[in-house]
Amino acid sequence: MGIDKGDENWEVLRRFLPRDWELRARSLGALTRQRKVSSPERLLRILMIHLADGCSLRETAARAQAGKLADISDVALLKRLRAASEWFRWMALCLLADRGVSTEQPEWLSGYQARTVDASVVSEPGSTGTDWRLHYSLRLFGLHCDDFKITRPQVGESLTNFTVAKGDLVIGDRGYCSLRSMHYVIQEGGDFLIRFRYRACELLSGAGAVFPVLSELGSLNTGEVGEWQLLVSGEDYAPLAVRLCAIRKSPEAAEQAIRKARKQASKKQKSISPETLELQRYVIVLTSVGSERISKMRIMELYRCRWQIEIAFKRLKSIMGLGQLPKKDLESARAWLHGKLLVALLVQAIVDEGRFFSPWGYPLQ
């Protein structure tokens, strides 16, 4: 008995997959031989059990056999997972393109390798499951996982967790705004673009005076991007030249950010300063890239590109808690991450379709 073509959930999911996804399974090396697994469809359904349902490879193999998808061992399934890495990445890129997110690096970024970094705590399944912190880097234009590190959760977010080379432009959120991270990237020959975190470092003008960040930002009009050449300083670190770029949020976005900040502070039973609340009205970034190399408008555009896939990252973080965490070899870990990203984008596409595009919840073909 073959795959049940009446499986409505699978039939709906198929409609969100990119055109020619089955052909690409062969051309990208995911299905070079059909021994044990007879088609790209069967292969993807089996791997989705592991990636989306959170089953171990052994349990996935058992479910595949019970569902008459394939009679395959967990060892053979791991090999299939590794081989599917580029296939997963290609499908994820197609889903991003469908959302209007550019996957081609623009000409004005030539000479740079734009990388976005993030981290998430992942728990292994079971009553005695162990927590790990997963640190990963993706090339912003291409979504190729180029760095992957697993630590205990006590190891916090820092750019020092990643290998940095000359020409790298590392993009991160507020968690990476520290003098240690910034100095590390510069020492390794790279550049950074990170979201500003209040009081993570001291901002100084060129003359050495404390930079009045709130009063300066208050001069911005809606839609206007401001920039200031500053120094960041702090204990144990020499002053470092940076450029602060900022834009005022819309009133609606600002009020939403303020409500979120208050809610988070209340949840942690902490007070929140008026200065912190006022800063929620702006998007503020720090970069080591000079204005002669990338303009302030393009700096904000670059951060926007990173933010556009933040929705997928958030979905990815929620999904990452499912499933066995590979800890032994880089290739299987990379394939696992590419597969998780595909699942996250599929989930987001399904949610968006039902919310914004089609009342029946799936695209017509």
Side-chain angles (χ1 to χ4, degrees), residues 105-106 108-117 137-141 146 159 163-172 185-186 188-194 243 286-290 293-295 298-303 306:
Q105 181 159 307
W108 51 266
L109 261 182
S110 60
Y112 287 103
Q113 180 64 263
R115 302 169 59 193
T116 182
V117 299
S137 166
L138 296 172
R139 294 178 190 171
L140 186 59
F141 300 97
D146 59 14
L159 298 181
T163 302
V164 177
K166 185 177 180 180
D168 284 348
L169 177 51
V170 187
I171 309 170
V185 172
I186 296 301
E188 296 299 310
D191 284 292
F192 58 81
L193 169 55
I194 50 179
R243 184 161 48 127
L286 297 175
T287 182
S288 58
V289 180
R293 297 161 71 187
I294 302 180
S295 70
R298 284 176 170 170
I299 284 292
M300 300 309 296
E301 176 68 17
L302 189 56
Y303 193 81
R306 195 268 180 194

Side-chain angles (χ1 to χ4, degrees), residues 59-70:
E59 184 180 356
T60 298
R63 289 193 179 194
Q65 184 177 16
K68 302 188 184 303
L69 291 170

Side-chain angles (χ1 to χ4, degrees), residues 81-211:
L81 174 67
R82 290 175 185 159
S85 181
E86 282 302 298
W87 187 37
F88 291 150
R89 190 175 72 89
W90 176 82
M91 287 190 283
L93 288 174
C94 290
L95 290 174
L96 276 176
D98 288 343
R99 293 172 60 85
V101 180
S102 174
T103 57
E104 296 293 329
Q105 181 159 307
E107 284 293 327
W108 51 266
L109 261 182
S110 60
Y112 287 103
Q113 180 64 263
R115 302 169 59 193
T116 182
V117 299
D118 210 339
S120 182
V121 173
V122 183
S123 298
E124 289 186 344
S127 58
T128 59
T130 304
D131 284 345
W132 304 87
R133 189 180 293 274
L134 173 66
H135 310 265
Y136 58 95
S137 166
L138 296 172
R139 294 178 190 171
L140 186 59
F141 300 97
L143 292 190
H144 176 75
C145 176
D146 59 14
D147 208 350
F148 192 101
K149 184 177 182 181
I150 297 168
T151 67
R152 287 300 189 184
Q154 291 79 12
V155 179
E157 295 181 358
S158 173
L159 298 181
T160 60
N161 293 321
F162 303 98
T163 302
V164 177
K166 185 177 180 180
D168 284 348
L169 177 51
V170 187
I171 309 170
D173 60 18
R174 292 185 185 92
Y176 296 95
C177 184
S178 71
L179 284 168
R180 183 186 178 205
S181 287
M182 289 185 270
H183 276 270
Y184 167 74
V185 172
I186 296 301
Q187 289 168 2
E188 296 299 310
D191 284 292
F192 58 81
L193 169 55
I194 50 179
R195 190 83 175 259
F196 173 67
R197 179 162 54 93
Y198 188 46
R199 291 178 178 167
C201 54
E202 188 175 36
L203 297 175
L204 305 175
S205 68
V210 174
F211 178 70

Side-chain angles (χ1 to χ4, degrees), residues 96 101 116 138-140 143 304-314 341 345:
L96 276 176
V101 180
T116 182
L138 296 172
R139 294 178 190 171
L140 186 59
L143 292 190
R304 186 184 72 87
C305 290
R306 195 268 180 194
W307 181 84
Q308 279 186 307
I309 59 174
E310 181 68 19
I311 294 177
F313 284 165
K314 290 182 184 298
L341 184 57
L345 289 168

Side-chain angles (χ1 to χ4, degrees), residues 207-225:
V210 174
F211 178 70
V213 59
L214 281 175
S215 61
E216 291 289 338
L217 292 175
S219 65
L220 293 176
N221 297 316
T222 301
E224 179 186 3
V225 177

